[in-house]
């Protein structure tokens, strides 16, 4: 949520890794931030001018952030190439000079959760990272502001929606423990009766929802609907709590950072065991769908080429392309033949002509054989009679 201390938390874990000589690779994806209190290796502000995007596209703050992320997402392949090079084992000559393999990548996302989690660009960035590296989401919570049951439940519902939207391991980080200890939140997540007792206490004191009832007015008059809803949601989320790691951290003092990185290692193993197979299955489904689409496009291309070849053959034969042209060709054929002819009748007439000619030729030969002296004359007279006939 806004003001939960995300950037300060990033600064603390970055400084912690540097102090342990485990240099991380840092990425800033917030295009609207004016300055960040840590050095970045990749900064979205180097590629996209947030104010210029707002000006050119006539957008507000959130629309400008979303459009900037969309523009940056078009370069995700370049980002992945850089990350793969930095996380690979260095060549022997570079290793001899002291260059080490990067083991951790820190990504600072925009302050507006909905802009990153529920946008297409955020899905592309998260999916691309998770397909290459073990990816863990840290959901930062403002501990002092979560002391009321309603605000606590709102954070839990938001975390639940993000978990099932991204389908990636998640760690709940209760920040600002130097102001208020997070023990109460851990208890509410593990003990249903403790949450019920806190809910009844707020109703009885008139502080339901985090607001005091003044000088006693409204005490014991809590919203029955909200109380019933929170009771029901606490039961529903009981299963959800089992899949989360919870740590309390103070970004100001550094307390709890070691516990956070221990939780990261646990979630990394969980990613490889539970999430990696699911990602591979989804990747294979996308590849299969892509191959099917390629085959469909190839089939369409072959059909188009076949139709093109038929068009060329039709033009070469001067076949009629319309009904009117076909009718004109039929009329021309009728005029030449003197009327309509059935193809079968045409073939019968040709056969009868051939048999008649053979018959007359045989008769002429018979006539010539009866009178040898009249061979030439008889055959010539036959030809003449045939012509006259």
């Amino acid at each position: 949520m806004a003001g939960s201390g995300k950037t300060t938390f990033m600064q603390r874990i970055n400084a912690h890794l540097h102090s342990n000589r485990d240099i991380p690779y840092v990425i800033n994806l917030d295009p609207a931030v004016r300055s960040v209190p840590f050095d970045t290796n990749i900064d979205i502000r180097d590629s996209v001018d947030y104010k210029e995007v707002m000006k050119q596209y006539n957008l507000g703050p959130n629309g400008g952030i979303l459009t900037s992320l969309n523009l940056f997402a078009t370069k995700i392949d370049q980002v992945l190439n850089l990350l793969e090079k930095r996380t690979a084992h260095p060549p022997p000559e570079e290793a001899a000079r002291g260059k080490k393999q990067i083991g951790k990548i820190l990504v600072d996302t925009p302050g507006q959760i909905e802009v990153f989690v529920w946008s297409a660009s955020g899905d592309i960035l998260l999916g691309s990272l998770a397909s290459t590296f073990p990816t863990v989401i840290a959901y930062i919570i403002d501990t002092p502001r979560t002391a009321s049951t309603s605000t606590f439940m709102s954070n839990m519902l938001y975390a639940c929606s993000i978990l099932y939207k991204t389908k990636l391991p998640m760690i709940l980080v209760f920040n600002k423990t130097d102001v208020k200890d997070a023990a109460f939140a851990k208890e509410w997540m593990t003990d249903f009766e403790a949450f019920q007792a806190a809910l009844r206490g707020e109703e009885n004191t008139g502080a339901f929802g985090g607001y005091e009832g003044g000088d006693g007015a409204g005490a014991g008059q809590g919203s029955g609907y909200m109380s019933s809803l929170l009771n029901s949601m606490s039961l529903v989320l009981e299963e959800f709590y089992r899949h989360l790691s919870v740590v309390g951290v103070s970004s100001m003092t550094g307390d709890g950072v070691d516990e956070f990185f221990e939780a990261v290692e646990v979630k990394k193993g969980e990613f490889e065991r539970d999430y990696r197979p699911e990602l591979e299955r989804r990747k294979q489904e996308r590849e299969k769908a892509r191959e099917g689409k390629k085959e469909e496009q190839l089939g369409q291309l072959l059909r188009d080429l076949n139709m093109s070849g038929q068009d060329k053959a039709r033009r070469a034969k001067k076949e009629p392309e319309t009904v009117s042209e076909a009718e004109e060709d039929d009329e021309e054929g009728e005029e030449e033949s003197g009327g309509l002819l059935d193809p079968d009748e045409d073939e019968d007439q040709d056969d009868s002509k051939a048999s008649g000619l053979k018959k007359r030729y045989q008769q002429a030969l018979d006539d010539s054989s009866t009178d040898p002296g009249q061979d030439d004359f008889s055959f010539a007279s036959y030809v003449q009679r045939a012509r006259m006939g």
Side-chain angles (χ1 to χ4, degrees):
M1 293 291 185
S4 59
K6 296 181 293 294
T7 303
T8 310
F9 175 74
M10 274 285 295
Q11 180 190 21
R12 172 55 62 183
I13 61 175
N14 183 40
H16 178 82
L17 292 175
H18 275 83
S19 64
N20 293 334
R21 299 187 180 278
D22 185 8
I23 310 301
Y25 201 82
V26 183
I27 302 175
N28 173 46
L29 293 181
D30 191 350
V33 65
R34 181 165 298 180
S35 62
V36 289
F38 47 82
D39 293 331
T40 58
N41 299 99
I42 298 178
D43 198 327
I44 188 175
R45 297 175 299 170
D46 297 333
S47 304
V48 183
D49 189 338
Y50 167 70
K51 291 184 178 179
E52 190 64 25
V53 168
M54 291 178 59
K55 181 179 178 181
Q56 288 189 8
Y57 294 95
N58 194 26
L59 299 171
N62 287 341
I65 294 175
L66 181 58
T67 305
S68 299
L69 280 173
N70 291 340
L71 294 173
F72 185 76
T74 60
K75 301 183 178 182
I76 186 60
D77 55 333
Q78 301 176 24
V79 174
L80 290 179
N81 288 335
L82 287 173
L83 295 178
E84 288 175 351
K85 290 179 180 179
R86 298 298 185 271
T87 55
H89 291 284
E93 58 276 8
E94 295 185 1
R97 292 196 298 265
K99 185 175 181 180
K100 296 182 179 180
Q101 178 187 12
I102 292 176
K104 294 181 177 61
I105 302 170
L106 306 181
V107 183
D108 191 13
T109 60
Q112 290 79 358
I113 296 178
E114 65 280 358
V115 169
F116 183 77
V117 176
W118 302 105
S119 66
S121 55
D123 190 40
I124 291 172
L125 293 169
L126 272 178
S128 300
L129 288 171
S131 64
T132 310
F133 309 101
T135 306
V136 179
I137 295 177
Y139 182 74
I140 316 302
I141 299 174
D142 188 342
T143 306
R145 294 176 61 185
T146 316
S148 67
T149 55
S150 58
T151 310
F152 172 82
M153 189 56 64
S154 297
N155 266 291
M156 294 301 104
L157 290 175
Y158 224 141
C160 181
S161 65
I162 294 172
L163 176 66
Y164 290 110
K165 172 66 171 61
T166 60
K167 297 181 176 64
L168 292 172
M170 177 182 287
I171 301 174
L172 292 185
V173 180
F174 283 89
N175 197 16
K176 305 181 183 179
T177 55
D178 55 310
V179 179
K180 185 174 181 60
D181 188 32
F184 75 94
K186 295 179 181 179
E187 185 182 14
W188 287 355
M189 295 177 67
T190 56
D191 188 351
F192 173 74
E193 295 296 333
F195 182 80
Q196 294 293 316
L199 183 59
R200 288 192 298 269
E202 289 185 4
E203 290 179 327
N204 294 331
T205 59
F208 187 77
Y211 295 97
E212 296 293 341
D215 40 325
Q221 301 178 9
S223 170
Y225 170 76
M226 285 299 297
S227 176
S228 176
L229 176 63
L230 293 178
N231 277 322
S232 302
M233 293 310 302
S234 62
L235 288 172
V236 170
L237 294 179
E238 186 176 1
E239 182 67 23
F240 164 69
Y241 295 149
R242 298 178 183 176
H243 299 281
L244 295 177
S245 294
V246 182
V247 296
V249 175
S250 172
S251 297
M252 293 297 296
T253 64
D255 185 35
V257 174
D258 288 327
E259 183 183 355
F260 168 75
F261 280 109
E262 291 175 3
V264 169
E265 291 300 321
V266 172
K267 288 299 177 181
K268 178 183 176 182
E270 182 179 322
F271 177 91
E272 297 291 353
R273 184 184 68 252
D274 300 332
Y275 290 83
R276 178 77 73 181
E278 175 66 16
L279 291 174
E280 292 296 332
R281 185 187 64 80
R282 289 159 58 188
K283 182 179 180 181
Q284 291 177 1
E285 289 180 353
R286 288 194 299 268
E287 291 294 334
K288 186 177 180 180
R290 190 178 294 112
E291 290 297 327
K293 190 174 182 180
K294 285 183 180 180
E295 292 180 1
E296 181 181 354
Q297 292 175 349
L298 179 60
Q300 182 63 40
L301 177 61
L302 293 176
R303 288 193 294 270
D304 292 343
L305 291 175
N306 188 26
M307 292 298 296
S308 178
Q310 291 179 359
D311 291 341
K312 290 182 179 179
R314 185 190 304 141
R315 287 194 295 268
K317 294 181 180 180
K318 297 183 179 179
E319 293 182 356
E321 296 184 356
T322 61
V323 175
S324 59
E325 291 180 4
E327 292 177 351
E328 291 176 0
D329 291 346
D330 291 341
E331 291 176 358
E332 291 177 359
E334 291 175 12
E335 291 176 358
E336 292 177 357
S337 61
L340 292 175
L341 288 176
D342 187 13
D344 295 333
E345 292 180 0
D346 195 13
E347 292 178 359
D348 294 337
Q349 290 181 3
D350 291 341
D351 293 340
S352 62
K353 286 180 181 180
S355 61
L357 180 59
K358 182 178 181 181
K359 192 174 187 181
R360 282 181 288 176
Y361 181 70
Q362 185 66 35
Q363 183 181 356
L365 290 177
D366 294 338
D367 292 343
S368 63
S369 63
T370 57
D371 189 359
Q374 299 295 325
D375 286 347
D376 295 338
F377 177 78
S378 298
F379 189 79
S381 91
Y382 162 74
V383 173
Q384 185 176 4
R385 285 197 308 269
R387 288 178 179 176
M388 291 177 63

